[in-house]
């Protein structure tokens, strides 16, 4: 059989990567993304309290930047590293706090500097505004504004947010943000956006700075980064162990010949998946790995060729978005249509990412997710926690957020921000009386269970620094196009 070349130009690869990483990673925050909100999308000014708009006296200092003017952007690669400090004026708390807020009993205010990082996807949003995820900095500021208005901050504590923006496909850029936040800004703790794992590892292992990151990480990273490293999602080994149990109990592997394509950053967790599948009587017939660096990979076509040769009729693609699109498109060109089962890796379980997958290959695909993707499509409305988060952002920003079945990147990123910030607040609140980095860590470890806006519920403990404790099934509906939640939540399978 003659193998034909892979799918065309680099632009299609970049669109796929932008979609996959944009939805939950959500960052852009550029005027290009903001411009996607028309005048009709804005809430009437008369419905908004004057205090929801950040004071004009806000000081913005750019420490490091390689961002070219937006009017001259011609490349699809985002800038490397930018760190921006937004220092709230001294009057911020008193002007935004309602009259019913109790007067602080403390005569002094302790200001804690918190880093908030997010990927720069502005170039991807220029290619297609559907990849935009809104303004992550404003999303974080909206949460902080609510804490002030509703007196949720501990007595005498004020937060100074410092924003770090990075190129999502550059590990060096993420390390650069780490160094800037640690050495230049001297932050107390950091909240890490999507695919910031390298930067989060740098903060925890090099600088002993507490970090609440988003993505699942290898089990050894929690050990190397202890006690400072936390993630919203379950660790990679628990995720893949749960995936093996899910795929087996849901009947997806029955009488199937299995092919596995994965990125080498999963080397620590893939043996867990392979061994658990074997314990259920399922062997992997064909397996291939790729580095996952950059856009697409030379192994994409090779994986398809090997799967065809091995008679694989069920593929598990644990790779990034651009490689997934390459695999699906090349498979289609060969007339090869296996069944796929998927999971959160590479943000495949976001509507924006899945839209880039060829419908002929991907429609009807089942996936295991730790997020609340497909909630609106299945139930018609967001959960109360998600609605509360969205309402608060609308109040602060004046931007109306769609609750349509097909979720936007901005929608999912607003929920992600609320989830991450809720962990931050829990740690600060518990440790407030004698605040230190050590007491902050203990505060997170001893917090009550979390009911998240954009993820399954979760908890932390001294020996468990990965948050989400449950998963459920979703199915891709290409006609929608959206993920649809199927069934209830089940507990993550840990060691």
């Amino acid at each position: 059989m003659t193998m034909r070349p892979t799918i065309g130009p680099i632009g299609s690869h970049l669109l796929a990567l932008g979609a996959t990483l944009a939805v939950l990673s959500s960052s852009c925050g550029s005027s290009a993304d903001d411009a996607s909100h028309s005048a009709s999308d804005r809430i009437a000014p008369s419905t908004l309290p004057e205090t929801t708009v950040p004071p004009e006296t806000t000081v913005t200092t750019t420490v490091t930047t390689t961002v070219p003017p937006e009017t001259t952007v011609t490349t699809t690669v985002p800038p490397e590293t930018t760190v921006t400090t937004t220092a709230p004026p001294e009057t911020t708390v008193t002007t935004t706090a309602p009259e019913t807020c109790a007067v602080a009993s403390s005569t002094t205010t302790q200001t804690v500097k918190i880093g908030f990082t997010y990927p720069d996807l502005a170039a991807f949003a220029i290619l297609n505004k559907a990849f935009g995820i809104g303004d992550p900095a404003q999303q974080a500021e909206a949460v902080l504004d609510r804490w002030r208005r509703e007196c949720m901050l501990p007595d005498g504590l004020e937060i100074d947010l410092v924003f770090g923006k990075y190129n999502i496909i550059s590990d060096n850029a993420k390390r650069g943000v780490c160094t800037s936040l640690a050495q230049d800004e001297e932050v107390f703790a950091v909240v890490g956006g999507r695919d910031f794992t390298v930067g989060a590892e740098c903060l925890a292992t090099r600088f002993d700075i507490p970090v609440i990151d988003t993505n699942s990480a290898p089990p050894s990273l929690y050990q190397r980064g202890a006690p400072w490293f936390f993630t919203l999602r379950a660790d990679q080994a628990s995720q893949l162990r749960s995936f093996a149990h899910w795929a087996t109990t849901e009947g997806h592997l029955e009488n199937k010949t299995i092919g596995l394509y994965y990125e080498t950053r999963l080397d620590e967790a893939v043996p867990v998946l392979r061994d658990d599948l074997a314990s259920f009587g399922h062997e992997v017939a064909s397996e291939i790995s790729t580095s996952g660096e950059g856009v697409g990979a030379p192994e994409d076509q090779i994986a398809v060729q090997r799967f065809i040769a091995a008679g694989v009729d069920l593929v598990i693609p644990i790779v990034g978005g651009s490689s997934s699109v390459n695999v699906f498109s090349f498979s289609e060109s060969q007339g090869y249509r296996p069944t796929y089962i998927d999971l959160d890796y590479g943000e495949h379980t976001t509507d924006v990412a899945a839209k880039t997958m060829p419908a002929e290959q991907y429609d009807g695909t089942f996936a295991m997710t730790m997020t609340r993707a497909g909630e609106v499509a299945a139930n018609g409305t967001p959960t109360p926690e998600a609605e509360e988060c969205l309402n608060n952002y609308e109040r602060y920003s004046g931007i109306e957020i769609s609750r349509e079945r097909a979720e936007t990147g901005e929608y999912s990123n607003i929920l992600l921000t609320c989830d991450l910030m809720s962990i931050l607040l829990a740690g600060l609140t518990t440790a407030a009386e004698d605040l230190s980095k050590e007491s902050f860590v203990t505060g997170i470890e001893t917090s009550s269970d979390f009911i998240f806006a954009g993820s399954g519920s979760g908890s932390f403990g001294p020996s468990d620094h990965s948050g989400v404790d449950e998963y459920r099934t979703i199915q891709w509906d290409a006609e929608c196009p959206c993920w649809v939640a199927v069934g209830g939540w089940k507990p993550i399978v840990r060691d």
Side-chain angles (χ1 to χ4, degrees):
M1 178 183 296
T2 302
M3 310 307 289
R4 288 185 280 180
T6 189
I7 60 171
I10 192 68
S12 64
H13 299 327
L14 288 168
L15 287 175
L17 182 63
T20 300
L21 299 176
V23 176
L24 289 176
S25 59
S26 146
S27 84
C28 142
S30 70
S31 58
D33 183 64
D34 295 339
S36 67
H37 298 291
S38 66
S40 63
D41 290 330
R42 294 192 171 272
I43 300 173
S46 61
T47 67
L48 297 174
E50 294 181 0
T51 56
T52 59
V53 180
E56 295 182 356
T57 53
T58 298
V59 178
T60 302
T61 303
T62 301
V63 178
T64 307
T65 179
T66 57
V67 183
E70 293 185 39
T71 55
T72 62
V73 173
T74 57
T75 177
T76 58
V77 180
E80 289 280 310
T81 304
T82 302
V83 176
T84 304
T85 304
T86 302
E90 294 180 1
T91 57
T92 300
V93 176
T94 55
T95 57
T96 58
E99 293 182 2
T100 56
C101 188
V103 177
S105 59
S106 175
T107 58
T108 60
T109 298
Q110 178 183 9
T111 298
V112 178
K113 187 177 286 189
I114 301 295
F116 186 94
T117 73
Y118 59 93
D120 183 5
L121 298 170
F124 297 126
I126 289 173
L127 289 172
N128 188 330
K129 68 179 182 180
F131 296 160
I133 51 178
D135 185 340
Q138 186 181 58
Q139 292 161 14
E141 288 167 344
V143 176
L144 179 57
D145 176 73
R146 181 192 174 195
W147 294 353
R148 291 171 178 152
R149 285 187 295 103
E150 299 184 10
C151 308
M152 297 170 70
L153 285 170
D155 183 12
L157 186 67
E158 179 51 50
I159 304 297
D160 178 10
L161 288 177
V162 182
F163 298 101
K165 183 168 58 175
Y166 52 88
N167 180 338
I168 199 166
I169 60 174
S170 169
D171 287 351
N172 286 336
K174 297 165 191 176
R175 294 188 186 97
V177 168
C178 161
T179 302
S180 294
L181 291 176
Q183 296 184 336
D184 300 335
E185 299 296 338
E186 298 182 341
V187 295
F188 174 82
V190 173
V191 173
R194 193 58 47 84
D195 292 297
F196 186 62
T197 305
V198 170
E201 178 179 10
C202 167
L203 288 161
T205 60
R206 287 185 55 194
F207 298 104
D208 294 342
I209 292 176
V211 56
I212 304 164
D213 202 29
T214 297
N215 288 46
S216 301
S220 64
L221 179 50
Y222 296 86
Q223 298 172 2
R224 296 195 308 276
W228 315 115
F229 183 75
F230 294 85
T231 61
L232 171 64
R233 293 182 179 176
D235 67 90
Q236 288 178 353
S238 296
Q239 182 184 29
L240 292 191
R241 175 172 285 111
S242 300
F243 184 77
H245 283 244
W246 167 81
T248 300
T249 58
E250 294 291 322
H252 297 306
L253 306 178
E254 195 68 29
N255 300 318
K256 292 291 186 180
T257 302
I258 303 170
L260 175 62
Y261 185 33
Y262 68 95
E263 292 186 358
T264 53
R265 66 191 71 191
L266 288 160
D267 277 347
E268 195 174 320
V270 163
V272 174
L273 171 63
R274 191 186 302 116
D275 292 346
D276 276 30
L277 288 176
S279 71
F280 289 119
H282 305 293
E283 299 292 337
V284 176
S286 181
E287 180 179 311
I288 183 170
S289 63
T290 179
S291 70
E293 297 294 332
V295 179
E299 295 84 5
D300 296 343
Q301 288 191 14
I302 297 173
V304 175
Q305 293 170 338
R306 290 189 181 178
F307 293 161
I308 293 173
V312 167
D313 56 5
L314 182 136
V315 174
I316 303 173
I318 320 179
V319 291
S322 56
S323 283
S324 293
V325 172
N326 281 352
V327 167
F328 299 145
S329 298
F330 187 63
S331 295
E332 185 65 19
S333 75
Q334 301 304 302
Y336 173 56
R337 291 186 177 179
T339 297
Y340 300 94
I341 54 174
D342 218 333
L343 67 167
D344 292 324
Y345 192 85
E347 304 315 309
H348 294 185
T349 56
T350 61
D351 290 348
V352 172
K355 286 178 186 177
T356 67
M357 314 301 184
E360 299 82 2
Q361 290 277 320
Y362 205 66
D363 189 26
T365 292
F366 286 96
M368 186 200 89
T369 184
M370 292 181 281
T371 77
R372 292 192 176 275
E375 190 105 7
V376 175
N379 303 325
T381 59
T383 64
E385 293 76 20
E387 191 63 45
E388 184 178 69
C389 173
L390 296 166
N391 286 340
N392 178 67
Y393 180 70
E394 290 176 329
R395 178 193 185 280
Y396 182 82
S397 67
I399 298 171
E400 186 174 1
I401 303 301
S402 170
R403 273 77 157 171
E404 294 179 359
R405 296 182 72 212
E407 299 171 4
T408 66
E410 182 174 30
Y411 175 98
S412 63
N413 202 70
I414 292 170
L415 301 187
L416 173 64
T417 300
C418 284
D419 290 349
L420 293 168
M421 294 289 279
S422 70
I423 301 171
L424 173 68
L425 180 61
L428 292 173
T429 300
T430 305
E433 290 188 6
D434 185 21
L435 184 60
S436 66
K437 291 179 180 178
E438 290 78 10
S439 65
F440 173 72
V441 166
T442 301
I444 296 176
E445 292 174 341
T446 57
S447 296
S448 301
D449 291 353
F450 293 87
I451 301 177
F452 293 118
S455 301
S457 63
S459 61
F460 298 93
S463 60
D464 178 17
H465 279 204
S466 62
V468 175
D469 292 327
E470 54 187 7
Y471 69 86
R472 71 174 171 195
T473 302
I474 55 177
Q475 185 176 24
W476 179 246
D477 179 354
E479 186 177 352
C480 179
C482 59
W483 288 102
V484 180
V486 180
W489 294 93
K490 297 181 179 180
I492 289 287
V493 182
R494 301 187 187 274
D495 291 338

